[in-house]
Amino acid sequence: MGLRGGAATRRRIAANLPGGCRWADSTLLNFLSRLEGKGFVRSDKQGNKNVYTPLVRRADYCARATAAHLDTLYGGDVRGLVMTLADAGRLSFAEMETLARWLDARAAESPEYDYD
């Protein structure tokens, strides 16, 4: 959720949403309920308010959400995702070069890399 320091109320979570993201209370509560159902957060009562505590690290949540979107939108094809971003102008040439260098370095570190 992007919050540091653990548990937060719905109001605090809403105040920390990205700039253009202004969800209605009911939308945010529904989203938090779905996250709780999936084991990503836990809600506890404090007085008359629910307080939500993250149960997974942001990186772990992002990895799972990204994998789900990749499967849903691209059938798991990373190349298709990258092509869409490039075709839509969301990846500059410099970003593509940086990505290519990173992929080359990552592949070279892999035990599966074949030097022959």
Side-chain angles (χ1 to χ4, degrees):
M1 283 180 265
L3 296 174
R4 303 285 183 243
T9 62
R10 179 219 26 97
R11 194 174 303 263
R12 180 166 171 233
I13 293 167
N16 282 278
L17 291 174
C21 184
R22 293 291 166 228
W23 288 352
D25 288 345
S26 60
T27 303
L28 181 54
L29 288 170
N30 183 43
F31 181 69
L32 289 167
S33 176
R34 289 173 46 212
L35 289 176
E36 185 174 17
K38 293 178 180 183
F40 292 122
V41 299
R42 179 186 73 234
S43 67
D44 299 297
K45 277 284 194 197
Q46 284 187 357
N48 64 347
K49 297 178 184 175
N50 281 338
V51 177
Y52 299 89
T53 303
L55 300 177
V56 297
R57 294 178 320 125
R58 178 181 172 84
D60 295 333
Y61 172 78
C62 289
R64 287 178 63 180
T66 300
H69 289 301
L70 183 65
D71 288 343
T72 300
L73 297 174
Y74 299 96
D77 179 19
V78 174
R79 185 172 169 258
L81 167 65
V82 174
M83 287 172 46
T84 299
L85 292 172
D87 291 347
R90 297 295 305 261
L91 280 177
S92 68
F93 184 74
E95 290 170 324
M96 286 186 267
E97 284 184 321
T98 300
L99 178 58
R101 283 192 303 274
W102 180 83
L103 288 169
D104 286 343
R106 188 72 183 236
E109 294 171 0
S110 172
E112 298 174 16
Y113 188 77
D114 184 2
Y115 290 99
D116 295 329

